[in-house]
Amino acid sequence: MLDAAFIRANLEAVKSNCKNRNLVADVDKVIVIDDERKKLLSNIQAIQQKQNELSKLIPKEKDLVIKQQLAGEGKSLREQANAMEAQAKEIESNLKSVLNIIPNMTHPDAPVGLLAEDNKEIKHWGQPRKFDFTPKDHVALCDSLQLADFEAGASVAGQKFYYLKNEGALLELALVQYAMNTLVQEGFIPVITPDLARIEVLEGIGFIPRDPDPEKRQVYTIADTDLCLVATAEITLGGMHRDQVLDEANMPLRYAGLSHCFRTEAGAPGKDTRGLYRVHQFTKVEMFAFCTPEQAEGIHLDILRIEEKIFQGLGLCYRVIDTCTGDLGGPAYRKYDLEAWMPGRGKDGDYGEVTSTSNCTDYQSRRLNIRSKSQGQKGTRFAYTLNGTAVAVTRAIVAILENNQQADGSVIIPEVLRPMIGKDRIVPR
RNA sequence: GGAGAGGUGGCAGAGCGGCUGAAUGCGUCAGUCUCGAAAACUGAAAUACUCGCAAGGGUAUCGGGGGUUCAAAUCCCCCCCUCUCCGCCA
Protein backbone atom coordinates (compact mmCIF):
# COMPACT_ATOMS: atom_id res chain seq x y z
CA MET A 1 0.00 0.00 0.00
CA LEU A 2 1.05 3.55 -0.62
CA ASP A 3 1.46 6.15 2.09
CA ALA A 4 -1.54 8.47 2.33
CA ALA A 5 0.82 11.42 2.77
CA PHE A 6 2.62 10.42 -0.42
CA ILE A 7 -0.66 10.27 -2.32
CA ARG A 8 -1.59 13.70 -1.00
CA ALA A 9 1.68 15.13 -2.25
CA ASN A 10 1.62 13.32 -5.61
CA LEU A 11 -2.05 13.17 -6.43
CA GLU A 12 -1.83 13.56 -10.19
CA ALA A 13 1.05 11.13 -10.54
CA VAL A 14 -0.84 8.49 -8.56
CA LYS A 15 -3.94 8.98 -10.70
CA SER A 16 -2.11 8.67 -13.99
CA ASN A 17 -0.29 5.64 -12.64
CA CYS A 18 -3.64 3.95 -11.96
CA LYS A 19 -4.70 4.79 -15.49
CA ASN A 20 -1.50 3.34 -16.95
CA ARG A 21 -2.13 0.19 -15.01
CA ASN A 22 -5.68 -0.04 -16.22
CA LEU A 23 -7.11 0.17 -12.73
CA VAL A 24 -10.01 2.15 -11.43
CA ALA A 25 -9.33 3.51 -7.98
CA ASP A 26 -10.84 6.43 -6.14
CA VAL A 27 -7.66 8.30 -5.36
CA ASP A 28 -9.36 11.53 -4.31
CA LYS A 29 -11.25 9.62 -1.68
CA VAL A 30 -8.00 8.89 0.12
CA ILE A 31 -7.55 12.56 0.86
CA VAL A 32 -11.14 13.07 1.92
CA ILE A 33 -10.98 10.15 4.33
CA ASP A 34 -7.53 11.05 5.53
CA ASP A 35 -8.63 14.61 6.31
CA GLU A 36 -11.55 13.23 8.24
CA ARG A 37 -9.21 10.89 10.08
CA LYS A 38 -6.77 13.61 11.06
CA LYS A 39 -9.47 15.92 12.29
CA LEU A 40 -11.06 13.25 14.42
CA LEU A 41 -7.70 12.15 15.72
CA SER A 42 -6.76 15.59 16.92
CA ASN A 43 -10.13 15.94 18.64
CA ILE A 44 -9.60 12.63 20.38
CA GLN A 45 -6.15 13.63 21.47
CA ALA A 46 -7.41 16.88 22.93
CA ILE A 47 -9.92 14.95 25.02
CA GLN A 48 -7.31 12.48 26.12
CA GLN A 49 -5.11 15.34 27.19
CA LYS A 50 -7.92 16.72 29.33
CA GLN A 51 -8.51 13.27 30.76
CA ASN A 52 -4.89 12.93 31.74
CA GLU A 53 -4.78 16.32 33.38
CA LEU A 54 -7.95 15.59 35.31
CA SER A 55 -6.71 12.24 36.56
CA LYS A 56 -3.65 13.89 37.98
CA LEU A 57 -5.75 16.30 40.00
CA ILE A 58 -7.88 13.69 41.70
CA PRO A 59 -5.37 12.05 44.03
CA LYS A 60 -4.34 15.48 45.36
CA GLU A 61 -7.87 16.63 46.01
CA LYS A 62 -8.84 16.50 49.67
CA ASP A 63 -12.44 17.64 49.38
CA LEU A 64 -14.53 14.55 48.76
CA VAL A 65 -17.35 16.41 47.08
CA ILE A 66 -15.03 18.02 44.55
CA LYS A 67 -13.28 14.72 44.07
CA GLN A 68 -16.59 13.10 43.27
CA GLN A 69 -17.33 15.86 40.83
CA LEU A 70 -13.99 15.54 39.04
CA ALA A 71 -14.46 11.80 38.71
CA GLY A 72 -17.84 12.39 37.12
CA GLU A 73 -16.28 14.79 34.68
CA GLY A 74 -13.62 12.25 33.83
CA LYS A 75 -16.24 9.64 33.18
CA SER A 76 -18.05 11.79 30.69
CA LEU A 77 -14.78 12.54 28.94
CA ARG A 78 -14.07 8.86 28.70
CA GLU A 79 -17.43 8.21 27.17
CA GLN A 80 -16.87 10.92 24.61
CA ALA A 81 -13.45 9.58 23.73
CA ASN A 82 -14.74 6.03 23.41
CA ALA A 83 -17.44 7.02 20.98
CA MET A 84 -14.97 8.95 18.87
CA GLU A 85 -12.48 6.14 18.91
CA ALA A 86 -15.04 3.74 17.54
CA GLN A 87 -15.66 6.21 14.76
CA ALA A 88 -11.93 6.59 14.11
CA LYS A 89 -11.56 2.86 13.79
CA GLU A 90 -14.19 2.74 11.12
CA ILE A 91 -12.60 5.60 9.24
CA GLU A 92 -9.25 3.89 9.35
CA SER A 93 -10.59 0.67 8.00
CA ASN A 94 -12.29 2.62 5.19
CA LEU A 95 -9.03 4.34 4.42
CA LYS A 96 -7.22 1.05 4.36
CA SER A 97 -9.64 -0.55 1.97
CA VAL A 98 -9.35 2.39 -0.43
CA LEU A 99 -5.57 2.31 -0.16
CA ASN A 100 -5.49 -1.42 -0.79
CA ILE A 101 -6.89 -0.95 -4.27
CA ILE A 102 -4.28 1.62 -5.27
CA PRO A 103 -1.28 -0.08 -6.90
CA ASN A 104 2.36 0.71 -6.32
CA MET A 105 3.98 3.46 -8.34
CA THR A 106 5.83 2.38 -11.46
CA HIS A 107 9.46 2.63 -12.47
CA PRO A 108 9.80 5.50 -14.95
CA ASP A 109 11.50 3.21 -17.48
CA ALA A 110 8.87 0.47 -17.40
CA PRO A 111 7.04 0.28 -20.72
CA VAL A 112 3.64 1.93 -20.62
CA GLY A 113 0.83 -0.13 -22.07
CA LEU A 114 -2.23 -2.14 -21.23
CA LEU A 115 -1.82 -5.35 -23.22
CA ALA A 116 0.58 -8.24 -23.13
CA GLU A 117 1.80 -7.03 -26.54
CA ASP A 118 3.10 -3.89 -24.87
CA ASN A 119 5.60 -5.89 -22.86
CA LYS A 120 9.10 -5.23 -24.05
CA GLU A 121 11.59 -7.93 -24.90
CA ILE A 122 14.90 -6.67 -23.59
CA LYS A 123 17.08 -9.70 -24.11
CA HIS A 124 17.18 -13.05 -25.84
CA TRP A 125 19.39 -16.01 -25.09
CA GLY A 126 19.86 -19.13 -27.24
CA GLN A 127 17.93 -20.19 -30.31
CA PRO A 128 14.61 -22.05 -30.42
CA ARG A 129 15.51 -25.56 -31.40
CA LYS A 130 14.74 -26.78 -34.94
CA PHE A 131 13.52 -30.36 -35.08
CA ASP A 132 14.00 -32.80 -37.96
CA PHE A 133 11.07 -34.76 -36.59
CA THR A 134 7.71 -33.72 -35.22
CA PRO A 135 8.26 -32.83 -31.55
CA LYS A 136 5.83 -33.98 -28.93
CA ASP A 137 4.47 -31.75 -26.23
CA HIS A 138 5.35 -32.47 -22.62
CA VAL A 139 2.03 -34.19 -21.98
CA ALA A 140 2.82 -36.78 -24.63
CA LEU A 141 6.36 -37.13 -23.33
CA CYS A 142 5.17 -37.56 -19.74
CA ASP A 143 2.86 -40.22 -20.98
CA SER A 144 5.30 -42.17 -23.13
CA LEU A 145 8.11 -41.95 -20.59
CA GLN A 146 5.75 -42.43 -17.63
CA LEU A 147 6.95 -39.29 -15.88
CA ALA A 148 3.57 -38.08 -14.66
CA ASP A 149 0.13 -39.47 -13.98
CA PHE A 150 -2.59 -36.91 -14.56
CA GLU A 151 -5.46 -39.39 -14.30
CA ALA A 152 -4.42 -40.43 -10.82
CA GLY A 153 -3.98 -36.77 -9.86
CA ALA A 154 -7.48 -35.97 -11.08
CA SER A 155 -8.94 -38.98 -9.37
CA VAL A 156 -7.39 -38.24 -6.01
CA ALA A 157 -7.39 -34.44 -5.88
CA GLY A 158 -9.15 -33.22 -9.01
CA GLN A 159 -8.34 -31.60 -12.35
CA LYS A 160 -4.93 -29.94 -12.55
CA PHE A 161 -3.37 -32.13 -9.93
CA TYR A 162 -0.76 -34.68 -10.93
CA TYR A 163 1.64 -37.27 -9.71
CA LEU A 164 5.27 -37.07 -10.77
CA LYS A 165 6.80 -40.50 -11.25
CA ASN A 166 10.10 -42.09 -12.14
CA GLU A 167 12.56 -39.55 -13.57
CA GLY A 168 9.76 -36.99 -13.31
CA ALA A 169 9.93 -37.22 -9.54
CA LEU A 170 13.71 -37.23 -9.61
CA LEU A 171 13.70 -34.24 -11.92
CA GLU A 172 11.81 -32.22 -9.33
CA LEU A 173 14.28 -33.09 -6.60
CA ALA A 174 17.22 -32.38 -8.87
CA LEU A 175 15.86 -29.00 -9.93
CA VAL A 176 15.27 -28.01 -6.34
CA GLN A 177 18.76 -29.07 -5.41
CA TYR A 178 20.29 -27.30 -8.39
CA ALA A 179 18.45 -24.06 -7.65
CA MET A 180 19.25 -24.18 -3.96
CA ASN A 181 22.92 -24.88 -4.57
CA THR A 182 23.17 -22.05 -7.05
CA LEU A 183 21.58 -19.62 -4.61
CA VAL A 184 23.69 -20.70 -1.68
CA GLN A 185 26.74 -20.05 -3.82
CA GLU A 186 25.35 -16.59 -4.49
CA GLY A 187 25.14 -15.97 -0.77
CA PHE A 188 21.44 -16.53 -0.19
CA ILE A 189 20.26 -18.08 3.07
CA PRO A 190 18.46 -21.33 2.28
CA VAL A 191 15.05 -21.67 3.93
CA ILE A 192 12.22 -24.15 3.87
CA THR A 193 9.08 -22.21 4.68
CA PRO A 194 5.62 -23.16 5.93
CA ASP A 195 3.14 -24.02 3.18
CA LEU A 196 0.39 -22.26 5.13
CA ALA A 197 0.17 -18.69 6.29
CA ARG A 198 -2.26 -16.39 8.03
CA ILE A 199 -4.65 -14.31 5.96
CA GLU A 200 -3.07 -11.05 7.18
CA VAL A 201 0.29 -12.13 5.85
CA LEU A 202 -1.20 -12.91 2.44
CA GLU A 203 -2.84 -9.50 2.46
CA GLY A 204 0.41 -7.84 3.42
CA ILE A 205 2.09 -9.35 0.39
CA GLY A 206 -0.76 -8.20 -1.83
CA PHE A 207 -3.06 -11.17 -2.15
CA ILE A 208 -6.76 -10.81 -1.50
CA PRO A 209 -7.85 -14.10 0.09
CA ARG A 210 -11.13 -12.56 1.26
CA ASP A 211 -12.13 -11.16 -2.10
CA PRO A 212 -15.93 -11.17 -2.03
CA ASP A 213 -15.92 -12.50 -5.56
CA PRO A 214 -14.92 -16.18 -5.30
CA GLU A 215 -13.98 -16.15 -8.99
CA LYS A 216 -11.16 -13.77 -8.16
CA ARG A 217 -9.67 -15.60 -5.21
CA GLN A 218 -6.31 -17.02 -6.16
CA VAL A 219 -5.62 -18.99 -3.02
CA TYR A 220 -7.12 -21.83 -1.06
CA THR A 221 -8.32 -21.07 2.44
CA ILE A 222 -8.43 -23.65 5.18
CA ALA A 223 -11.93 -24.04 6.59
CA ASP A 224 -12.45 -23.00 10.23
CA THR A 225 -9.05 -21.28 10.49
CA ASP A 226 -7.49 -18.00 9.45
CA LEU A 227 -4.96 -19.86 7.31
CA CYS A 228 -4.41 -20.18 3.58
CA LEU A 229 -2.28 -22.48 1.50
CA VAL A 230 0.49 -20.30 0.16
CA ALA A 231 0.57 -19.46 -3.54
CA THR A 232 4.30 -18.80 -3.39
CA ALA A 233 7.06 -18.69 -0.80
CA GLU A 234 7.12 -14.94 -1.42
CA ILE A 235 4.30 -14.91 1.14
CA THR A 236 6.11 -16.78 3.86
CA LEU A 237 9.49 -15.19 3.15
CA GLY A 238 8.06 -11.69 3.15
CA GLY A 239 6.11 -12.45 6.30
CA MET A 240 9.18 -13.80 8.03
CA HIS A 241 10.23 -10.39 9.36
CA ARG A 242 6.87 -8.71 9.77
CA ASP A 243 6.58 -6.26 12.65
CA GLN A 244 10.34 -6.10 12.92
CA VAL A 245 12.93 -3.37 12.68
CA LEU A 246 15.88 -4.70 10.68
CA ASP A 247 19.41 -3.45 11.11
CA GLU A 248 20.60 -1.88 7.87
CA ALA A 249 24.10 -3.11 8.59
CA ASN A 250 22.78 -6.62 7.87
CA MET A 251 21.08 -5.66 4.64
CA PRO A 252 20.47 -6.82 2.06
CA LEU A 253 18.97 -9.92 3.64
CA ARG A 254 18.59 -12.47 0.88
CA TYR A 255 16.70 -15.73 1.26
CA ALA A 256 16.23 -18.75 -0.96
CA GLY A 257 12.91 -20.27 0.08
CA LEU A 258 11.55 -23.65 -0.88
CA SER A 259 7.83 -24.25 -0.64
CA HIS A 260 4.91 -25.85 -2.34
CA CYS A 261 2.64 -23.41 -4.11
CA PHE A 262 -1.11 -23.79 -4.29
CA ARG A 263 -3.23 -21.83 -6.72
CA THR A 264 -6.91 -22.03 -7.44
CA GLU A 265 -6.34 -20.68 -10.97
CA ALA A 266 -9.89 -19.44 -10.71
CA GLY A 267 -9.43 -16.66 -13.25
CA ALA A 268 -7.99 -18.94 -15.91
CA PRO A 269 -10.65 -21.45 -16.88
CA GLY A 270 -9.88 -23.42 -20.00
CA LYS A 271 -6.40 -21.94 -20.29
CA ASP A 272 -3.52 -24.38 -20.53
CA THR A 273 -5.78 -27.09 -19.24
CA ARG A 274 -3.53 -29.97 -20.14
CA GLY A 275 -0.37 -31.04 -18.50
CA LEU A 276 1.99 -29.42 -16.06
CA TYR A 277 1.96 -25.86 -17.35
CA ARG A 278 -0.87 -24.55 -15.19
CA VAL A 279 -1.56 -26.67 -12.12
CA HIS A 280 -3.06 -26.26 -8.67
CA GLN A 281 0.06 -27.36 -6.85
CA PHE A 282 3.74 -27.14 -7.65
CA THR A 283 7.09 -26.79 -5.98
CA LYS A 284 9.14 -23.65 -6.26
CA VAL A 285 12.41 -22.18 -5.08
CA GLU A 286 11.95 -18.46 -4.60
CA MET A 287 14.40 -15.65 -3.98
CA PHE A 288 13.45 -12.87 -1.61
CA ALA A 289 15.39 -9.80 -0.48
CA PHE A 290 14.89 -7.19 2.21
CA CYS A 291 17.03 -4.15 1.51
CA THR A 292 17.38 -0.39 1.66
CA PRO A 293 15.89 1.86 -1.00
CA GLU A 294 19.38 2.52 -2.31
CA GLN A 295 20.12 -1.16 -2.82
CA ALA A 296 16.84 -2.21 -4.41
CA GLU A 297 17.45 -1.58 -8.06
CA GLY A 298 20.85 -3.26 -8.05
CA ILE A 299 19.42 -6.28 -6.32
CA HIS A 300 16.58 -6.48 -8.79
CA LEU A 301 19.03 -6.73 -11.67
CA ASP A 302 21.09 -9.22 -9.73
CA ILE A 303 18.09 -11.47 -9.15
CA LEU A 304 17.44 -11.33 -12.89
CA ARG A 305 21.08 -12.20 -13.53
CA ILE A 306 20.77 -15.27 -11.27
CA GLU A 307 17.55 -16.38 -12.96
CA GLU A 308 19.35 -16.20 -16.29
CA LYS A 309 22.29 -18.07 -14.90
CA ILE A 310 19.99 -20.86 -13.73
CA PHE A 311 18.26 -21.22 -17.09
CA GLN A 312 21.47 -20.90 -19.04
CA GLY A 313 22.79 -23.69 -16.84
CA LEU A 314 19.85 -25.81 -17.90
CA GLY A 315 20.63 -24.98 -21.54
CA LEU A 316 17.21 -23.49 -22.22
CA CYS A 317 16.52 -20.77 -24.75
CA TYR A 318 14.66 -17.81 -23.25
CA ARG A 319 13.79 -14.16 -23.63
CA VAL A 320 13.61 -11.50 -20.95
CA ILE A 321 10.49 -9.37 -20.73
CA ASP A 322 10.23 -5.93 -19.17
CA THR A 323 6.61 -6.03 -18.08
CA CYS A 324 4.37 -3.17 -19.16
CA THR A 325 2.33 -1.10 -16.73
CA GLY A 326 -0.97 -2.82 -17.44
CA ASP A 327 0.51 -6.24 -16.77
CA LEU A 328 2.24 -5.40 -13.50
CA GLY A 329 0.81 -6.82 -10.29
CA GLY A 330 -0.36 -4.29 -7.72
CA PRO A 331 2.72 -4.41 -5.47
CA ALA A 332 5.32 -4.39 -8.26
CA TYR A 333 7.22 -1.24 -9.13
CA ARG A 334 8.98 -3.05 -11.95
CA LYS A 335 8.90 -6.65 -13.09
CA TYR A 336 11.04 -8.79 -15.39
CA ASP A 337 9.95 -12.20 -16.60
CA LEU A 338 11.96 -14.98 -18.17
CA GLU A 339 10.04 -16.82 -20.85
CA ALA A 340 11.55 -20.07 -22.00
CA TRP A 341 11.00 -21.55 -25.42
CA MET A 342 8.58 -24.46 -25.23
CA PRO A 343 8.35 -26.36 -28.53
CA GLY A 344 5.11 -28.11 -27.57
CA ARG A 345 3.29 -24.96 -26.57
CA GLY A 346 0.68 -23.60 -28.97
CA LYS A 347 0.76 -24.64 -32.61
CA ASP A 348 4.47 -24.41 -33.42
CA GLY A 349 5.97 -23.78 -30.05
CA ASP A 350 5.85 -20.61 -28.02
CA TYR A 351 7.53 -18.86 -25.15
CA GLY A 352 6.12 -19.62 -21.71
CA GLU A 353 6.77 -17.78 -18.47
CA VAL A 354 9.21 -19.59 -16.23
CA THR A 355 10.34 -16.90 -13.81
CA SER A 356 9.26 -13.50 -12.63
CA THR A 357 11.09 -10.98 -10.51
CA SER A 358 9.56 -7.88 -8.98
CA ASN A 359 10.85 -4.87 -7.14
CA CYS A 360 8.03 -4.07 -4.73
CA THR A 361 9.74 -1.05 -3.10
CA ASP A 362 8.07 -0.40 0.27
CA TYR A 363 4.59 -1.39 -0.88
CA GLN A 364 4.60 -4.72 0.97
CA SER A 365 6.66 -3.68 3.96
CA ARG A 366 4.31 -0.82 4.75
CA ARG A 367 1.50 -3.30 5.26
CA LEU A 368 3.67 -5.93 6.91
CA ASN A 369 5.32 -3.25 9.06
CA ILE A 370 8.89 -4.16 8.21
CA ARG A 371 11.22 -1.29 8.98
CA SER A 372 14.92 -0.76 8.93
CA LYS A 373 17.28 1.37 10.96
CA SER A 374 20.91 2.19 10.69
CA GLN A 375 23.34 3.02 13.45
CA GLY A 376 23.18 6.63 14.50
CA GLN A 377 20.27 7.38 12.21
CA LYS A 378 17.21 8.80 13.91
CA GLY A 379 13.94 6.95 13.34
CA THR A 380 13.26 4.11 10.95
CA ARG A 381 12.19 3.67 7.35
CA PHE A 382 10.32 0.95 5.54
CA ALA A 383 12.43 -1.81 4.06
CA TYR A 384 12.28 -2.48 0.33
CA THR A 385 11.31 -5.98 -0.73
CA LEU A 386 12.12 -7.87 -3.92
CA ASN A 387 11.27 -11.33 -5.07
CA GLY A 388 12.11 -13.58 -7.95
CA THR A 389 11.60 -17.14 -9.08
CA ALA A 390 14.66 -19.36 -9.05
CA VAL A 391 12.90 -22.45 -10.32
CA ALA A 392 9.20 -23.16 -10.59
CA VAL A 393 9.58 -26.90 -10.95
CA THR A 394 6.68 -27.83 -13.21
CA ARG A 395 7.35 -25.08 -15.72
CA ALA A 396 11.02 -25.97 -15.82
CA ILE A 397 10.12 -29.60 -16.42
CA VAL A 398 7.89 -28.63 -19.33
CA ALA A 399 10.72 -26.69 -20.95
CA ILE A 400 13.34 -29.37 -20.35
CA LEU A 401 11.24 -32.25 -21.66
CA GLU A 402 10.06 -30.46 -24.78
CA ASN A 403 13.44 -28.97 -25.69
CA ASN A 404 15.58 -31.99 -24.94
CA GLN A 405 13.49 -34.67 -26.63
CA GLN A 406 15.13 -36.85 -29.27
CA ALA A 407 13.81 -38.56 -32.40
CA ASP A 408 13.80 -41.92 -30.62
CA GLY A 409 11.46 -40.56 -27.94
CA SER A 410 14.09 -40.20 -25.26
CA VAL A 411 14.93 -37.00 -23.38
CA ILE A 412 18.43 -35.82 -22.61
CA ILE A 413 18.89 -34.65 -19.04
CA PRO A 414 20.66 -31.29 -18.64
CA GLU A 415 24.21 -31.82 -17.51
CA VAL A 416 23.81 -29.89 -14.27
CA LEU A 417 21.05 -32.25 -13.14
CA ARG A 418 22.75 -35.52 -14.02
CA PRO A 419 24.62 -35.99 -10.75
CA MET A 420 21.34 -35.84 -8.84
CA ILE A 421 19.44 -38.13 -11.19
CA GLY A 422 22.22 -40.55 -11.85
CA LYS A 423 21.77 -40.81 -15.62
CA ASP A 424 22.08 -38.64 -18.69
CA ARG A 425 18.97 -39.66 -20.55
CA ILE A 426 15.37 -40.68 -19.94
CA VAL A 427 14.45 -43.53 -22.25
CA PRO A 428 11.03 -45.03 -23.02
CA ARG A 429 10.37 -47.98 -20.78
C1' G B 1 -4.69 -32.27 22.95
C1' G B 2 -4.15 -31.86 28.76
C1' A B 3 -1.65 -29.42 33.23
C1' G B 4 1.48 -25.56 34.92
C1' A B 5 4.79 -21.12 34.35
C1' G B 6 5.63 -16.90 31.70
C1' G B 7 5.70 -12.74 27.74
C1' U B 8 8.19 -5.32 30.40
C1' G B 9 13.09 -0.78 26.51
C1' G B 10 19.20 -3.56 22.36
C1' C B 11 19.63 -7.65 26.23
C1' A B 12 18.92 -9.20 31.42
C1' G B 13 15.44 -7.91 35.04
C1' A B 14 12.30 -4.98 38.95
C1' G B 15 7.56 -2.99 39.33
C1' C B 16 1.63 -5.73 40.43
C1' G B 17 -3.93 0.66 40.51
C1' G B 18 -2.05 7.32 40.47
C1' C B 19 4.43 10.28 41.95
C1' U B 20 6.22 4.62 36.07
C1' G B 21 7.92 6.08 29.31
C1' A B 22 8.91 2.81 33.08
C1' A B 23 14.11 1.19 38.91
C1' U B 24 18.72 -1.48 38.51
C1' G B 25 22.61 -4.06 35.79
C1' C B 26 24.94 -5.03 31.10
C1' G B 27 25.57 -3.25 26.37
C1' U B 28 25.57 1.41 23.00
C1' C B 29 26.98 6.59 22.06
C1' A B 30 29.29 11.40 23.66
C1' G B 31 32.48 13.90 27.19
C1' U B 32 36.34 14.15 31.28
C1' C B 33 40.96 11.75 32.31
C1' U B 34 45.12 9.59 28.94
C1' C B 35 50.44 10.13 24.23
C1' G B 36 46.53 6.55 23.00
C1' A B 37 43.56 2.82 25.18
C1' A B 38 41.48 0.23 29.48
C1' A B 39 39.43 1.48 34.11
C1' A B 40 36.88 5.24 36.63
C1' C B 41 33.68 9.35 36.53
C1' U B 42 29.90 12.60 33.97
C1' G B 43 26.14 12.82 30.53
C1' A B 44 22.95 11.09 26.33
C1' A B 45 19.87 7.66 24.22
C1' A B 46 12.80 4.17 22.24
C1' U B 47 9.08 4.02 18.31
C1' A B 48 4.84 5.60 15.78
C1' C B 49 1.20 9.13 14.97
C1' U B 50 -0.25 14.18 15.28
C1' C B 51 -0.03 19.89 15.76
C1' G B 52 3.64 23.72 14.48
C1' C B 53 7.64 27.58 9.46
C1' A B 54 10.56 26.40 13.59
C1' A B 55 11.76 26.07 18.58
C1' G B 56 8.74 22.93 20.77
C1' G B 57 3.95 20.72 22.16
C1' G B 58 0.38 16.67 22.42
C1' U B 59 -1.31 11.46 22.03
C1' A B 60 -0.40 6.37 21.98
C1' U B 61 2.69 2.13 22.95
C1' C B 62 5.05 -2.84 28.98
C1' G B 63 2.76 -9.92 23.45
C1' G B 64 -2.35 -8.57 20.66
C1' G B 65 -7.57 -7.25 21.26
C1' G B 66 -11.64 -6.00 24.47
C1' G B 67 -13.43 -4.56 29.53
C1' U B 68 -13.55 -2.33 34.76
C1' U B 69 -11.85 2.67 36.70
C1' C B 70 -11.55 9.71 37.15
C1' A B 71 -6.74 6.84 36.50
C1' A B 72 -4.14 0.19 34.19
C1' A B 73 2.50 -2.51 32.85
C1' U B 74 -0.42 -3.45 37.37
C1' C B 75 -7.47 -5.89 38.11
C1' C B 76 -11.08 -8.96 34.68
C1' C B 77 -12.20 -11.58 29.81
C1' C B 78 -10.65 -13.47 24.93
C1' C B 79 -6.67 -14.53 21.55
C1' C B 80 -1.46 -15.28 20.11
C1' C B 81 3.36 -16.84 21.37
C1' U B 82 7.41 -19.09 24.49
C1' C B 83 9.06 -22.58 28.22
C1' U B 84 8.36 -27.14 31.49
C1' C B 85 5.75 -31.72 32.30
C1' C B 86 2.16 -35.41 30.34
C1' G B 87 -0.32 -37.53 26.05
C1' C B 88 -0.11 -38.50 20.74
C1' C B 89 2.72 -38.89 16.37
C1' A B 90 6.69 -38.97 11.41
Side-chain angles (χ1 to χ4, degrees):
Chain A
M1 115 184 125
L2 293 179
D3 183 13
F6 174 88
I7 294 174
R8 189 181 286 275
N10 300 277
L11 193 58
E12 288 315 309
V14 172
K15 280 186 188 171
S16 75
N17 184 52
C18 287
K19 196 183 271 176
N20 285 341
R21 286 175 174 241
N22 201 19
L23 269 161
V24 185
D26 195 346
V27 182
D28 290 313
K29 203 168 164 192
V30 170
I31 294 178
V32 174
I33 299 178
D34 195 43
D35 281 340
E36 210 180 328
R37 190 196 118 245
K38 281 189 181 184
K39 198 172 149 206
L40 191 61
L41 192 69
S42 84
N43 288 342
I44 289 173
Q45 291 187 350
I47 291 178
Q48 285 171 327
Q49 187 176 357
K50 254 192 257 173
Q51 267 181 299
N52 289 341
E53 284 162 3
L54 203 71
S55 304
K56 278 187 187 126
L57 292 180
I58 290 176
K60 291 180 206 144
E61 185 53 58
K62 292 281 184 307
D63 187 325
L64 278 177
V65 176
I66 298 179
K67 207 168 193 163
Q68 203 55 226
Q69 201 181 324
L70 290 174
E73 234 173 280
K75 186 168 184 172
S76 97
L77 283 176
R78 187 182 72 215
E79 278 155 8
Q80 277 179 57
N82 280 352
M84 288 165 93
E85 264 168 37
Q87 214 180 326
K89 224 172 217 179
E90 200 180 318
I91 290 175
E92 274 188 31
S93 102
N94 285 347
L95 180 62
K96 210 173 154 190
S97 60
V98 179
L99 282 173
N100 273 345
I101 299 168
I102 298 174
N104 201 355
M105 297 304 285
T106 308
H107 191 289
D109 296 340
V112 175
L114 300 182
L115 305 166
E117 292 85 76
D118 297 315
N119 289 334
K120 202 163 113 197
E121 178 178 323
I122 55 173
K123 188 171 174 184
H124 194 276
W125 192 86
Q127 284 306 314
R129 182 172 160 204
K130 300 254 190 298
F131 291 88
D132 48 17
F133 58 95
T134 308
K136 300 176 180 168
D137 71 5
H138 77 277
V139 181
L141 289 162
C142 282
D143 187 46
S144 62
L145 298 171
Q146 295 180 42
L147 302 179
D149 189 338
F150 297 103
E151 285 74 25
S155 158
V156 167
Q159 265 298 321
K160 296 192 187 181
F161 285 95
Y162 57 94
Y163 286 75
L164 290 179
K165 294 193 309 189
N166 299 311
E167 291 86 351
L170 298 180
L171 217 38
E172 161 150 341
L173 295 175
L175 282 163
V176 167
Q177 183 89 52
Y178 165 61
M180 273 292 185
N181 286 161
T182 305
L183 295 179
V184 168
Q185 268 171 33
E186 293 281 352
F188 284 70
I189 300 166
V191 182
I192 294 172
T193 84
D195 284 342
L196 276 70
R198 291 191 207 293
I199 288 173
E200 326 138 45
V201 177
L202 285 267
E203 286 176 339
I205 292 294
F207 286 82
I208 314 169
R210 288 189 264 220
D211 198 307
D213 180 359
E215 288 293 296
K216 280 194 191 156
R217 281 181 220 145
Q218 308 136 293
V219 294
Y220 293 97
T221 54
I222 310 284
D224 303 323
T225 71
D226 63 343
L227 294 168
C228 302
L229 290 170
V230 299
T232 158
E234 178 191 351
I235 293 164
T236 41
L237 292 169
M240 201 156 62
H241 290 302
R242 75 190 183 115
D243 294 321
Q244 289 182 15
V245 180
L246 306 173
D247 184 350
E248 292 190 4
N250 299 329
M251 292 170 109
L253 269 176
R254 296 180 307 155
Y255 293 102
L258 169 64
S259 82
H260 291 114
C261 305
F262 301 89
R263 303 191 177 178
T264 59
E265 298 296 348
K271 235 177 139 188
D272 308 303
T273 43
R274 280 159 39 84
L276 293 172
Y277 189 84
R278 191 178 296 281
V279 286
H280 287 314
Q281 175 185 339
F282 59 97
T283 304
K284 178 160 64 72
V285 177
E286 179 81 359
M287 295 176 262
F288 199 93
F290 300 89
C291 68
T292 66
E294 297 75 31
Q295 295 167 332
E297 231 159 285
I299 289 174
H300 196 200
L301 291 174
D302 201 50
I303 289 176
L304 177 60
R305 192 207 96 231
I306 294 167
E307 291 180 343
E308 290 193 57
K309 180 176 161 183
I310 288 170
F311 278 83
Q312 287 176 14
L314 292 170
L316 294 169
C317 157
Y318 62 81
R319 62 184 186 188
V320 181
I321 297 296
D322 189 351
T323 308
C324 75
T325 49
D327 236 11
L328 284 173
Y333 175 69
R334 195 171 204 186
K335 176 160 89 91
Y336 302 112
D337 289 351
L338 247 63
E339 296 182 347
W341 178 251
M342 298 178 178
R345 190 164 161 72
K347 246 192 157 60
D348 305 298
D350 197 358
Y351 290 91
E353 184 181 328
V354 284
T355 74
S356 177
T357 175
S358 300
N359 177 359
C360 297
T361 65
D362 57 356
Y363 193 86
Q364 295 177 325
S365 61
R366 197 180 297 283
R367 255 190 294 210
L368 291 169
N369 190 28
I370 304 167
R371 295 163 183 277
S372 72
K373 188 178 169 72
S374 71
Q375 271 287 319
Q377 165 207 332
K378 188 85 181 150
T380 60
R381 51 184 178 170
F382 286 106
Y384 272 35
T385 59
L386 298 101
N387 63 271
T389 318
V391 165
V393 167
T394 37
R395 294 266 171 108
I397 289 179
V398 170
I400 290 168
L401 295 180
E402 293 185 356
N403 281 294
N404 292 12
Q405 60 181 302
Q406 306 299 309
D408 64 2
S410 67
V411 169
I412 294 179
I413 295 172
E415 218 170 308
V416 293
L417 303 182
R418 288 178 198 168
M420 281 86 89
I421 297 179
K423 56 176 83 167
D424 58 9
R425 188 185 281 262
I426 307 169
V427 296
R429 35 195 93 239

